[in-house]
Amino acid sequence: KLINFSIDLPGGELPVMLNKQLYGWTIENMFKNAIDAMKGRGDLSIVITRDTSYAKVLISDTGKGIPKSKFHSIFEPGFTTKKRGWGLGLSLAKRIIEEYHDGRVSVLKSEIDKGTTMQISLKLI
Ligand SMILES: Nc1ncnc2c1ncn2[C@@H]1O[C@H](COP(=O)(O)OP(=O)(O)OP(=O)(O)O)[C@@H](O)[C@H]1O
Ligand SMILES: [Mg+2]
């Protein structure tokens, strides 16, 4: 009840090669990160759009944000800022998206104490 969730999907179809299980796992992990960053309270949104070659999945939260200097290191295995974190979620997400989906995952934007938007790009077929 403390998370205000919104979802914005495109009208038409976006054909991508998707491993449902791995993609589902990736989204779940990124949602968990978002909720952790918001300490369980805030706005969480998922927006799906496209450009010419990619479907774009944008996951935004109103959490603590990520410093610019860490935009890349958060994807390294073992990088965590959490007491009980393994630092594995994003490194596996990156592998799943890059190696199984011919895609990309990145921090689209983030501002300290304002929030973060993570972007998954999936190659359209
Ligand atoms: N949405 C986010 N907002 C702020 N920081 C984030 C966000 N997503 C990831 N991070 C930062 O990136 C780090 C790495 O994330 P990652 O999911 O790889 O590991 P983790 O969540 O710490 O542990 P786990 O292995 O349980 O997922 C986090 O510890 C956190 O500092
Ligand atoms: Mg995580």
Side-chain angles (χ1 to χ4, degrees), residues 6 13 27 39-40 45 47-48 57 64 73 89 93-94 118 124:
S6 70
E13 287 187 354
I27 296 294
K39 296 202 176 116
S45 78
V47 175
I48 301 185
V57 182
K64 69 185 176 97
S73 27
K94 186 176 159 73
M118 303 293 293
L124 288 164

Side-chain angles (χ1 to χ4, degrees), residues 10-75:
E13 287 187 354
L14 295 180
V16 294
M17 294 286 275
L18 207 64
N19 179 316
K20 275 195 192 179
Q21 231 109 44
L22 293 178
Y23 176 73
W25 184 93
T26 299
I27 296 294
E28 185 180 327
N29 269 270
M30 291 174 73
F31 275 21
K32 278 189 186 158
N33 281 346
I35 293 166
D36 285 346
M38 300 190 289
K39 296 202 176 116
R41 184 190 285 262
D43 301 336
L44 173 57
S45 78
I46 183 160
V47 175
I48 301 185
T49 57
R50 63 169 294 165
D51 65 14
T52 47
S53 353
Y54 288 92
K56 308 261 185 189
V57 182
L58 308 178
I59 300 166
S60 301
D61 65 59
T62 53
K64 69 185 176 97
I66 302 167
K68 270 233 159 59
S69 62
K70 298 288 182 293
F71 276 19
H72 293 284
S73 27
I74 60 167
F75 295 100

